Amino acid sequence: MGLNNRIPAGELAQKWSTYKSTCKLVNPANKRSLDIIVVGTGLAGASAAASLAELGYSVKTFCFQDSGRRAHSIAAQGGINAAKNYQNDGDSVYRLFYDTIKGGDYRAREANVHRLAEVSGNIIDQCVAQGVPFAREYGGLLSNRSFGGTQVQRTFYAAGQTGQQLLLGAYSAQMRQVAIGKIKEYNRHEMLDVVTIDGKARGIIARNLVTGEIERHGAHAVLLCTGGYGNVFFLSTNAMGSNVTAAWKAHKKGAFFGNPCFTQIHPTCIPVSGDHQSKLTLMSESLRNDGRIWVPKKQGDTRKPNEIAEEERDYYLERRYPAFGNLVPRDVASRAAKERCDAGYGVGSSKMAVYLDFASAIERYGKTEATKQGKSNASKEDIIAMGKDVVKEKYGNLFEMYAKITGEDPYSVPMRIYPAVHYTMGGLWVDYELMTNVPGLYALGEANFSDHGANRLGASALMQGLADGYFVIPYTIGNYLADEISTPKINTNQVAFDEAEKAVTDRIHHFMNVKGTKSVDYFHKKLGLIMWNQCGMARNEQGLKQAIADIRALREEFWKEVRVPGTADSLNPELDKAGRVADFLELGELMCIDALNREESCGGHFREEHQTEDGEALRHDDKFMYVSCWENKGEQGWDLHKEDLVYDVIHPSQRNYK
Amino acid sequence: MEHTTINLKLKVWRQKNAQDSGRFENYDAKDISTEMSFLEMFDVLNERLINEGQDPIAFDHDCREGICGMCSMHINGRAHGPWQGTTTCQLHMRAFKDGETITVEPWRAKAFPVLKDLTVDRSAFDRIQQAGGYVSVNTGNAQDGNALPIDKDKADASFAAAACIGCGACVAACKNSSAMLFTSAKVSQYALLPQGQPERTTRVLNMVAQMDKEGFGACTNTGACEAECPKEISISNIARLNREYLSAQLSL
Amino acid sequence: MTWKEYFTSSIGKKLVMAFTGLFLILFLIVHATINGMIFFDDNGEMFNYYAHFFSHNWIIRIMEVGLFVGLILHAVQGLMLTFQNQSKRPVKYAVNPGNATSKWYSRSMGILGSLLLIFLIIHLRHFWIGTKASLYITGEEHNLFEEMKIVFSELWVVVFYSVGVISLCWHLIHGFKSAFQSIGINSPKYNGMIQTVGIAYSLIICFAFLMMPVALHLGWIQ
């Protein structure tokens, strides 16, 4: 299969408007008879489903949760970027485009990213119109804050619950279409296969998670908006149910997987507290606006943080990256934390943590507040108290969450943080139209690989999910469906559906009948550990080769030894998990293969063999200026296809945040 | 933080499916770290049940950071357990004493039928939202975000209402299984914003009608919903809903 | 939406409860004020004067009909709501939160109200029927004060009235505030006031009612 990224010709800044003016359209009467399946109801899925239904298409949505509103986009805290330049600080579409490409360490497509920057402003407008209660200034206008990897304030937010508010906005638009019958919802359903007929995606096989019933759904196009695969590491900031299954089934049906090894490790998460740990909790990047990150200057220092004097603290990000300081991109901040902990400067009982300290911010805000209130001779205690109030207003919910999880008061003791798996830049390969190489099969949001290169900037995931769903797919899908208007409603009694359903049923039957000795979680945890140790923040050839062998062995053991209790015809969370972990066990191998193949360091992918003298990522643009597109060959493994990355406007250089 | 281990006795509601009448089963949870979350304690218990060849306990959960609204346990008589402003997933075992017996039940309401064990069907909330919990604005119609200045206090109050995670703790905590807090939070979010004005009247009428149709009870203003809401949504929203409903009816 | 739909919706029903409740709250002020006349200790002269006025003035007599309508609406609606609400949770919790999340009396409005209803029936039997009988049947001047002295001479009546009045007090403490919430008034600007006035009103009214049987029984008032 050849790869055509379908990037329109012409000037970069004109490509999208040219595309929009020239793509094929489907007339309203024809739209009604075209069915579209949307799998996943996060930002990308809900926004796409709502927008397509508004246009007149007949849409079906699927999600494994009990309601569309629960998709994990809801947990995004910090904000959403948009090149509005409301702050008059020099922002522009070009700068957002440039920052995103640079932040992604020059491994993203120029045309996609430019389009993303172009539509970013429309997203804010759309969300405001839907009644999303963004933070505002006293004058009634929208408020902004800054995020990592940028020098402007372009992040819009709603306290520490921006993802929630944006998702509920998209969900409300989706519910409006459900009410008028344009969208039919299938909640507590899991997609277990894509059905292709004559090479085109024509439907899916889904399992009703309550009754266990296997269902066939036909459609003229299938959109996978199923998020990322960070849970391959077992411990991540993803939701417990987040999984790769939908994307993986598509991959096995011919869709290429792009850059699977590009994983984002988020620098500010609450550290692991014990073996029981089921997931990791993120502390928003917005905290790095005001918090300062440090470790003791002395190795193995066991003193309490408040007993360590100012001059004995190493604010290592400010020291190493004076220009960006605590607001360096995520990959850089994470690696710096790992470097300090590995060198023996870590803090806390596990020594795998660094401090995120608000003391100086509290004092600074307290002084400003004292001046504002005209208290020129306020005591130190008063200043601290006023400062705490300001910090509480800005980050209250995050501080509370930290206190609940750790039992410590972050207003008086610095937070302990450590990097954790957060986002996957890799995903299904898609062209400019967000279509995979399987015609009629699309991937949107985190599920695709397209916009963030090797590292995503903070507050850009929400932007991409909504850009794809609200402003890209409504145009690009028409370009495909215009040629499908004479295709009648998809008949689900065709052989392809029979075969797909049989494969799904057989697999479930297999899980139920292994009757092994070990739980699904046992395998998931083992896989996670392999991935974290060998394919996490730092990777090397030997480790990756070992990991591949270990994963293969684990996979074999899984199919022989897994124990799935209960029955297949009832609500059975263990059965759901078994299917997901089986797919992770295959994906993990591909991630390691990809990481092994990419003999350079870029963004979140850090190969120890390839670093500069001062430990920064060292790219090899001459050899790896491409997207790795992996084709599944079943038992034979994978074939690598390369999509060359062509930079017409930006000149890739060594990223510099100093 | 120092952590210790404790032993607990659990009394958990088990119910095969919606038709089954259900009963309590007792379990011992041993060597539970006080650092665990309540759901991690259930993970440990389930792992043991699987290893012993028993059916693990089904419960809803997803994000485990207190925002998706999926987790839903009634713990020792309290929706989401003893901590205020906390979801079950954020409740940590520090809240319990060694040797304590903990009773865990599903949300109980006619409108939230039990699907299995501690898992209930909350699709009634989706249908209330469908009845009018939106602003009818198609994608692409929007004016510039800053073209419409909004009073900061109003925007903040709207956000406070919009923070609802739709977990259903309000219904679970209410002696009448009333969904007034949920419905009022959504109505308030839009009633406070200029974007919500064009559909203000129809929204409140339709959402309340759907709420009643779903089989939730009426409000007795006991305030239990507010006390148990993990996002601490105020019952002043319920007053607003009452006001909105009355003025919608009075409007000519 | 039709008015019928409005008043049969869950919120409409509560509005009926709130308005009739507030109406009854106003009535209680009048009732307590007139009863308070006995404390003038003038052998019931002033009390009887106003009792006569209130039972004979035709405006008041029309309002009395309204009062009964309000009372019946409040009681019937309240009972129906209580039963309907209970049916919304077919399987009860094994463990309940007790007073951790709400006040006991706010959860017990149905029971308190039922107690009040029983109390009212006996109370009307004691005082209202006699008054009406003399007004419409015998045509004699009715000495209500003397009747009160006779009724309250019995200890069980005093105990029964005390229970009734205490129930009323708890019913009012929640009901007063709750009525404002149901009408839609809940704002930091007014909440303190509503709360204070509500509690003060409940205590004063009920104290006044409680003192009548007690004072008459113990012979504090002759």
Side-chain angles (χ1 to χ4, degrees):
Chain A
M1 245 179 279
L3 279 178
N4 177 2
N5 60 24
R6 291 183 218 234
I7 292 175
E11 293 256 322
L12 179 65
Q14 300 306 319
K15 283 180 194 289
W16 181 233
S17 35
T18 309
Y19 179 89
K20 285 196 291 183
S21 320
T22 53
C23 64
K24 291 178 205 156
L25 300 174
V26 180
N27 90 30
N30 285 331
K31 281 187 183 121
R32 279 194 289 275
S33 53
L34 290 169
D35 297 319
I36 298 172
I37 284 174
V38 178
V39 186
T41 56
L43 286 176
S47 59
S51 304
L52 295 173
E54 285 161 11
L55 287 174
Y57 294 108
S58 299
V59 178
K60 284 182 178 180
T61 60
F62 291 80
C63 71
F64 69 81
Q65 298 93 340
D66 70 333
S67 163
R69 65 179 293 154
R70 315 237 189 257
H72 199 53
S73 303
I74 206 157
Q77 299 167 350
I80 176 166
N81 288 330
K84 283 284 200 185
N85 195 30
Y86 283 158
Q87 302 305 322
N88 196 29
D89 57 358
D91 200 8
S92 64
V93 167
Y94 182 82
R95 276 197 202 272
L96 174 54
F97 156 71
Y98 178 82
D99 285 345
T100 308
I101 292 276
K102 177 188 173 191
D105 218 356
Y106 308 98
R107 289 294 175 265
R109 266 192 213 138
E110 271 192 340
N112 283 52
V113 177
H114 200 276
R115 174 178 66 190
L116 178 65
E118 282 174 61
V119 303
S120 65
N122 300 93
I123 298 172
I124 301 303
D125 302 340
Q126 179 64 26
C127 294
V128 168
Q130 282 172 346
V132 170
F134 281 116
R136 286 177 185 269
E137 304 294 348
Y138 282 102
L141 301 181
L142 294 160
S143 179
N144 288 116
R145 58 185 171 204
S146 46
F147 253 62
T150 66
Q151 290 176 317
V152 294
Q153 291 198 320
R154 64 160 74 101
T155 305
F156 295 79
Y157 63 99
Q161 288 154 251
T162 318
Q164 180 200 24
Q165 294 309 315
L166 296 176
L167 179 62
L168 293 182
Y171 162 79
S172 70
Q174 185 195 342
M175 288 303 106
R176 177 174 153 238
Q177 297 302 315
V178 172
I180 57 173
K182 286 307 294 176
I183 295 181
K184 196 158 166 29
E185 283 187 290
Y186 294 85
N187 299 342
R188 289 195 194 270
H189 274 68
E190 184 151 18
M191 188 203 105
L192 292 179
D193 209 354
V194 179
V195 180
T196 54
I197 297 173
D198 299 331
K200 288 178 175 174
R202 289 299 191 202
I204 64 167
I205 304 292
R207 179 168 177 266
N208 178 330
L209 298 181
V210 177
T211 63
E213 202 179 326
I214 305 295
E215 301 171 2
R216 301 172 179 200
H217 297 274
H220 297 86
V222 176
L223 274 55
L224 302 183
C225 312
T226 50
Y229 47 87
N231 267 349
V232 69
F233 290 87
F234 185 71
L235 287 181
S236 80
T237 64
N238 285 6
M240 299 303 286
S242 302
N243 65 79
V244 76
T245 292
W248 198 250
K249 301 303 183 196
H251 176 54
K252 295 191 96 171
K253 281 280 166 85
F256 292 178
F257 216 100
N259 295 333
C261 81
F262 286 170
T263 319
Q264 177 162 84
I265 316 280
H266 197 291
T268 51
C269 298
I270 301 176
V272 175
S273 71
D275 296 336
H276 57 264
Q277 194 89 27
S278 61
K279 77 151 271 154
L280 295 166
T281 302
L282 175 75
M283 290 282 105
S284 168
E285 180 159 310
S286 61
L287 293 174
R288 287 198 274 141
N289 268 305
D290 284 316
R292 297 177 73 194
I293 294 175
W294 63 276
V295 291
K297 278 187 180 164
K298 202 173 90 186
Q299 262 179 344
D301 199 331
T302 52
R303 287 176 294 171
K304 292 206 173 90
N306 296 342
E307 293 165 1
I308 301 175
E310 194 61 28
E311 59 276 11
E312 293 179 80
R313 300 176 177 190
D314 176 15
Y315 294 92
Y316 58 87
L317 287 176
E318 295 169 29
R319 170 170 60 78
R320 285 177 65 177
Y321 308 101
F324 282 69
N326 291 297
L327 281 174
V328 289
R330 292 174 174 176
D331 56 332
V332 178
S334 292
R335 266 197 304 278
K338 179 177 167 18
E339 186 274 329
R340 283 291 87 185
C341 293
D342 289 351
Y345 296 92
V347 301
S349 53
S350 64
K351 298 287 164 205
M352 291 305 270
V354 299
Y355 289 126
L356 176 61
D357 197 340
F358 280 80
S360 62
I362 287 172
E363 203 179 318
R364 177 162 46 89
Y365 283 127
K367 280 182 184 156
T368 314
E369 202 61 17
T371 313
K372 226 195 266 178
Q373 297 178 12
K375 294 177 182 164
S376 52
N377 52 357
S379 67
K380 181 135 199 218
E381 285 74 41
D382 284 347
I383 288 176
I384 301 272
M386 283 186 275
K388 279 183 182 174
D389 284 345
V390 177
V391 168
K392 188 171 185 177
E393 207 198 310
K394 292 184 100 142
Y395 308 111
N397 64 326
L398 299 168
F399 276 50
E400 258 174 53
M401 187 153 77
Y402 182 87
K404 274 174 203 159
I405 294 173
T406 62
E408 294 173 352
D409 173 24
Y411 291 100
S412 43
V413 186
M415 291 183 183
R416 284 172 297 110
I417 52 153
Y418 196 69
V421 175
H422 180 55
Y423 185 89
T424 50
M425 284 72 68
L428 291 173
W429 181 88
V430 291
D431 60 21
Y432 188 72
E433 300 183 310
L434 303 180
M435 186 152 79
T436 65
N437 54 310
V438 176
L441 182 65
Y442 292 80
L444 281 67
E446 192 181 349
N448 73 30
F449 89 101
S450 71
D451 294 359
H452 305 296
N455 173 57
R456 178 175 65 75
L457 288 183
S460 284
L462 303 186
M463 173 173 66
Q464 187 222 336
L466 290 180
D468 287 0
Y470 282 137
F471 296 110
V472 179
I473 198 74
Y475 291 92
T476 61
I477 204 165
N479 205 34
Y480 170 76
L481 290 176
D483 296 332
E484 294 288 332
I485 50 174
S486 49
T487 308
K489 204 167 185 60
I490 306 301
N491 171 11
T492 56
N493 291 321
Q494 301 181 64
V495 184
F497 278 93
D498 295 342
E499 285 170 359
E501 181 179 324
K502 185 173 183 305
V504 166
T505 320
D506 287 351
R507 190 165 139 115
I508 290 170
H509 187 73
H510 185 98
F511 285 136
M512 299 311 302
N513 288 295
V514 179
K515 297 193 191 322
T517 54
K518 294 178 177 114
S519 71
V520 176
D521 277 355
Y522 166 88
F523 294 99
H524 197 176
K525 284 181 183 177
K526 278 201 128 176
L527 172 67
L529 216 56
I530 297 171
M531 295 300 293
W532 179 245
N533 289 336
Q534 313 294 3
C535 198
M537 263 188 289
R539 300 140 179 205
N540 61 52
E541 187 184 342
Q542 195 201 347
L544 288 167
K545 283 183 172 160
Q546 183 62 47
I548 292 168
D550 290 349
I551 292 169
R552 284 181 184 155
L554 187 66
R555 195 163 62 218
E556 205 164 308
E557 191 191 353
F558 172 84
W559 284 102
K560 281 190 204 137
E561 284 299 328
V562 72
R563 180 200 295 235
V564 179
T567 59
D569 60 355
S570 65
L571 184 71
N572 188 348
E574 287 298 311
L575 176 60
D576 310 343
K577 273 200 279 186
R580 295 168 192 166
V581 171
D583 293 333
F584 280 137
L585 281 163
E586 294 177 12
L587 166 77
E589 183 183 345
L590 178 62
M591 288 170 72
C592 294
I593 290 173
D594 186 43
L596 191 62
N597 169 70
R598 191 166 282 275
E599 290 188 43
E600 63 163 351
S601 295
C602 60
H605 170 65
F606 190 76
R607 283 286 297 265
E608 288 169 347
E609 304 94 324
H610 305 275
Q611 49 183 307
T612 62
E613 275 172 17
D614 46 0
E616 303 295 339
L618 183 63
R619 290 199 324 267
H620 297 307
D621 289 348
D622 50 336
K623 282 187 261 171
F624 293 98
M625 203 68 161
Y626 62 76
V627 179
S628 306
C629 314
W630 297 93
E631 181 184 2
N632 190 285
K633 289 288 194 188
E635 295 296 312
Q636 285 82 49
W638 287 270
D639 277 356
L640 175 64
H641 303 259
K642 297 173 183 175
E643 182 205 340
D644 288 329
L645 289 165
V646 182
Y647 283 88
D648 292 327
V649 174
I650 288 180
H651 300 292
S653 59
Q654 161 92 27
R655 279 194 308 172
N656 182 7
Y657 292 99
K658 299 186 185 212
Chain B
M1 188 69 189
E2 310 222 342
H3 70 103
T4 45
T5 56
I6 52 176
N7 296 318
L8 299 158
K9 287 190 186 309
L10 295 175
K11 201 174 145 195
V12 182
W13 185 258
R14 301 303 307 263
Q15 184 173 335
K16 266 195 159 53
N17 50 42
Q19 290 73 44
D20 184 23
S21 55
R23 77 230 160 263
F24 281 104
E25 294 263 351
N26 295 310
Y27 301 96
D28 286 323
K30 291 205 170 109
D31 298 325
I32 299 300
S33 161
T34 51
E35 292 289 282
M36 282 184 197
S37 72
F38 198 77
L39 296 184
E40 283 167 348
M41 187 264 292
F42 262 78
D43 290 343
V44 170
L45 173 62
N46 272 347
E47 180 82 14
R48 201 194 82 204
L49 293 178
I50 294 166
N51 289 336
E52 289 171 358
Q54 298 184 55
D55 198 26
I57 300 156
F59 59 91
D60 266 333
H61 65 114
D62 200 27
C63 79
R64 296 209 179 183
E65 43 190 287
I67 194 76
C68 75
M70 192 117 172
C71 60
S72 49
M73 291 186 186
H74 205 257
I75 302 161
N76 281 347
R78 301 285 303 273
H80 289 305
W83 284 358
Q84 213 185 330
T86 307
T87 54
T88 302
C89 65
Q90 294 290 76
L91 174 66
H92 278 65
M93 298 312 292
R94 256 173 272 128
F96 300 94
K97 288 187 215 65
D98 190 29
E100 200 173 331
T101 299
I102 307 175
T103 307
V104 188
E105 301 174 72
W107 286 172
R108 294 202 188 280
K110 193 175 159 192
F112 287 169
V114 173
L115 294 175
K116 185 180 181 184
D117 300 340
L118 303 171
T119 307
V120 299
D121 178 1
R122 285 168 288 190
S123 52
F125 273 11
D126 284 335
R127 290 188 291 273
I128 293 175
Q129 183 104 16
Q130 285 156 21
Y134 47 76
V135 174
S136 296
V137 49
N138 282 0
T139 306
N141 284 347
Q143 59 177 349
D144 185 81
N146 260 352
L148 192 66
I150 300 173
D151 182 346
K152 184 180 188 316
D153 291 338
K154 288 246 170 84
D156 287 350
S158 174
F159 169 77
C164 167
I165 57 175
C167 64
C170 46
V171 174
C174 175
K175 75 180 185 70
N176 305 340
S177 307
S178 167
M180 286 284 276
L181 193 63
F182 169 80
T183 310
S184 70
K186 209 21 86 180
V187 167
S188 289
Q189 178 196 343
Y190 295 119
L192 285 160
L193 296 175
Q195 298 93 310
Q197 301 313 308
E199 293 163 285
R200 192 169 174 175
T201 306
T202 49
R203 175 180 303 117
V204 67
L205 295 178
N206 292 340
M207 287 182 77
V208 170
Q210 188 64 35
M211 175 181 85
D212 287 350
K213 203 169 126 191
E214 294 292 345
F216 294 102
C219 178
T220 305
N221 303 326
T222 68
C225 53
E226 174 185 68
E228 294 290 51
C229 174
K231 295 294 148 187
E232 300 179 308
I233 289 172
S234 159
I235 55 168
S236 62
N237 291 303
I238 295 184
R240 186 178 294 105
L241 173 63
N242 292 331
R243 207 156 66 226
E244 292 288 320
Y245 193 65
L246 180 59
S247 56
Q249 176 63 13
L250 292 178
S251 68
L252 301 171
Chain C
M1 191 170 53
T2 65
W3 288 103
K4 184 177 169 236
E5 282 166 335
Y6 181 81
F7 282 112
T8 51
S9 70
S10 60
I11 294 181
K13 285 177 192 166
K14 288 297 297 178
L15 199 74
V16 170
M17 293 304 287
F19 277 126
T20 51
L22 286 175
F23 180 51
L24 294 172
I25 280 171
L26 287 176
F27 160 72
L28 285 181
I29 297 176
V30 178
H31 187 347
T33 310
I34 296 166
N35 283 29
M37 305 287 177
I38 64 163
F39 293 109
F40 277 92
D41 212 2
D42 52 2
N43 202 19
E45 206 172 298
M46 193 190 241
F47 170 75
N48 274 341
Y49 171 77
Y50 280 100
H52 178 86
F53 172 74
F54 271 79
S55 59
H56 287 72
N57 184 292
W58 65 271
I59 298 174
I60 307 281
R61 279 155 73 180
I62 293 170
M63 281 177 71
E64 194 179 17
V65 177
L67 177 66
F68 269 93
V69 172
L71 180 69
I72 291 166
L73 261 177
H74 193 81
V76 173
Q77 184 81 280
L79 282 170
M80 276 169 52
L81 270 171
T82 304
F83 289 120
Q84 282 165 5
N85 287 337
Q86 276 175 359
S87 73
K88 306 298 182 187
R89 179 164 292 141
V91 184
K92 307 291 174 207
Y93 287 113
V95 186
N96 285 295
N99 295 331
T101 58
S102 60
K103 301 273 193 288
W104 71 268
Y105 49 88
S106 74
R107 300 191 306 272
S108 314
M109 293 299 274
I111 291 172
L112 291 171
S114 302
L115 280 175
L116 285 175
L117 189 62
I118 296 168
F119 166 79
L120 259 182
I121 292 166
I122 293 179
H123 177 56
L124 290 176
R125 163 80 191 76
H126 279 149
F127 299 111
W128 184 77
I129 289 185
T131 312
K132 294 292 148 184
S134 61
L135 186 63
Y136 296 111
I137 302 165
T138 63
E140 289 167 20
E141 184 59 35
H142 185 69
N143 190 333
L144 197 56
F145 183 67
E146 283 307 314
E147 191 176 12
M148 275 172 81
K149 284 210 279 195
I150 297 162
V151 169
F152 292 133
S153 63
E154 292 208 48
L155 182 64
W156 75 265
V157 177
V158 176
V159 172
F160 178 76
Y161 268 65
S162 304
V163 171
V165 170
I166 291 166
S167 304
L168 175 67
C169 187
W170 290 116
H171 197 80
L172 285 173
I173 288 179
H174 178 69
F176 191 93
K177 195 173 70 170
S178 179
F180 284 92
Q181 168 83 0
S182 293
I183 292 169
I185 301 169
N186 179 329
S187 147
K189 220 164 158 180
Y190 298 108
N191 288 354
M193 210 179 345
I194 293 170
Q195 176 89 357
T196 315
V197 172
I199 292 177
Y201 164 87
S202 310
L203 291 178
I204 292 169
I205 291 282
C206 294
F207 180 74
F209 280 139
L210 191 61
M211 285 324 288
M212 286 164 218
V214 171
L216 286 168
H217 184 77
L218 296 178
W220 297 347
I221 297 167
Q222 291 299 318

